[in-house]
Amino acid sequence: MFEDGVSNAEIARAVGVCAESVRRWRRAWEEGGASALRRRPVTGRPPKLDDAQVETVRAALMRGAQAHGFEADLWTLERVGAVVERVTGVVLSRASVWRLLTGRLGWSLQRPERRAVERDESEIARWISHEWPRIKKGP
């Protein structure tokens, strides 16, 4: 449309954008041609951990929480953050730890089952088959 001499207002109406956007695009096109209008990847802030550090963290986490001195073999964001700092020297926020785990490592949230260690499945089955029907009937 620029090459055909179409006005900025007509281009804006045809494309459905404001005229200021078209003026900006025309300036870019005049200075750098059609290649100046191509979408460029968004750079953003570089990650705090490089790929080698992420693999070091993965290996450390795979050893389990108890291997890092924690009482239970359960990972929390705070614990993972402490391990990341210990093995890489990089301090991450809770949100960054979450993005590391779910994004770069591809892990997901896993919640442990809340069951008593002393649970006796055979006793529970016996109670359900004998005691519950008796209680349910009532006196």
Side-chain angles (χ1 to χ4, degrees):
M1 295 174 113
F2 292 147
E3 290 174 352
D4 294 338
V6 179
S7 73
N8 289 351
E10 290 178 81
I11 295 173
R13 274 193 299 279
V15 181
V17 298
C18 68
E20 179 56 36
S21 293
V22 178
R23 281 192 290 275
R24 194 174 56 250
W25 297 341
R26 186 178 296 272
R27 268 193 311 275
W29 176 74
E30 288 170 349
E31 292 172 8
S35 64
L37 297 175
R38 286 201 172 76
R39 186 177 292 178
R40 289 181 226 80
V42 177
T43 55
R45 184 183 182 128
K48 287 185 174 183
L49 299 175
D50 61 28
D51 292 340
Q53 288 173 313
V54 171
E55 288 310 311
T56 302
V57 169
R58 180 192 307 272
L61 296 178
M62 293 298 289
R63 291 179 31 221
Q66 289 179 323
H68 293 281
F70 298 109
E71 195 172 305
D73 210 14
L74 180 70
W75 287 114
T76 64
L77 294 177
E78 289 80 11
R79 287 181 177 188
V80 173
V83 171
V84 168
E85 185 176 358
R86 194 176 306 142
V87 299
T88 66
V90 176
V91 177
L92 296 178
S93 68
R94 284 175 48 111
S96 294
V97 170
W98 178 253
R99 281 191 299 273
L100 168 68
L101 292 172
T102 59
R104 296 189 71 190
L105 293 176
W107 293 2
S108 63
L109 174 66
Q110 304 289 314
R111 295 194 190 273
E113 284 189 30
R114 301 271 184 213
R115 290 207 164 171
V117 178
E118 304 86 7
R119 186 177 170 104
D120 183 353
E121 295 297 332
S122 62
E123 178 59 24
I124 292 170
R126 186 203 64 75
W127 188 89
I128 290 173
S129 64
H130 293 82
E131 301 298 324
W132 175 243
R134 183 181 60 78
I135 294 169
K136 190 175 176 185
K137 282 183 194 174

